[in-house]
Amino acid sequence: MTKTFAVIGDPIDHSLSPNIHNAAFRELDLDCTYIAYKIPKNELNYGLDALKKIKISGFNVTIPHKIDIMKFLDGTDEDSKLIGASNTVTNLNGVLTGYNTDMQGFLDPIIQRELDIKNSNILLYGAGGAARAIIVAFAKQNAKKITIVNRTIEKGKELEELGKKLGLNSEIISLENFEGNKNKYDFVINSTSIGMKNEIFPISQDLIDENSVVYDIVYKPINTDLIKKGKNVNATIIYGYEMLLGQAVRSFEIWMDKKAPYSAMKKAILGGFS
Ligand code: ATR
């Protein structure tokens, strides 16, 4: 019987996950298919019932459900527990198990470029599920300080606490009040959805220079306003599709228990932009 996989979230129509995973299934000649399924913010329980009814084999979770999904899982891996969010779920006869592949997916392109995280000064926009994975990643790699900028201060506070708990010097500033103190940051990361609709990214160019790494996890469009600002100062650029690829490869390997066809998946992502 054909196995069905999905990505759930809202908005979901821009998602490249179906392209990536269907390309991987084709490459390895697997009898599997992957769909995008829109579940609005307050309808997660109904959506999950529907997925169980069609005997979904596994699914990815994206904005805005990565944190809320935790309530509905029967078990999780250690990374999900630490991060407080899951982006990959397996379904074995109705038993849902959550994994987090965002953290490693986020780190992959940094490690590939041999960039130094130790003692770095980080500016992170956003305080959602992806931001939680990012802060744990930096804490594990012994970064020095993280400044979290978020629209909703309460959510940012939770993240600040998480960072402190993990031994990372952390502070939260509201998006509205943030100007920066003209310190240059080693890493500037966007984990919000700002940019998906071609919005201007609210950062002063004074905060980045050629020694900064500018990393936007928004992957469509490829050249977000933040990426353009990074290019203007010759910063090192990391594109959102690179994290997307990293987490997708790991999700595939959890579901299939075999090595993912990396090149076919990368090609599918880049083809998705043409
Ligand atoms: P994910 O799990 O993918 O990280 P999320 O948990 O919904 O998704 O988090 C989305 C992040 O984008 C949050 O930090 C959110 O800010 P709030 O905490 O204030 O909700 C941020 N975000 C989304 N849309 C935004 C916008 N238009 N302006 C500023 N921040 C926004």
Side-chain angles (χ1 to χ4, degrees), residues 82 119-120 122 135-136 138-146 159-171:
L82 193 59
N119 291 323
S120 57
I122 297 149
I135 210 166
V136 175
F138 278 122
K140 280 194 167 181
Q141 305 282 324
N142 298 316
K144 186 168 74 187
K145 183 171 180 198
I146 193 158
L159 209 64
E160 181 189 19
E161 289 310 313
L162 176 66
K164 283 183 178 162
K165 199 178 87 188
L166 299 171
L168 192 56
N169 181 352
S170 313
E171 65 174 356

Side-chain angles (χ1 to χ4, degrees), residues 22 211 259:
N22 284 317
N211 297 313
K259 200 154 171 37

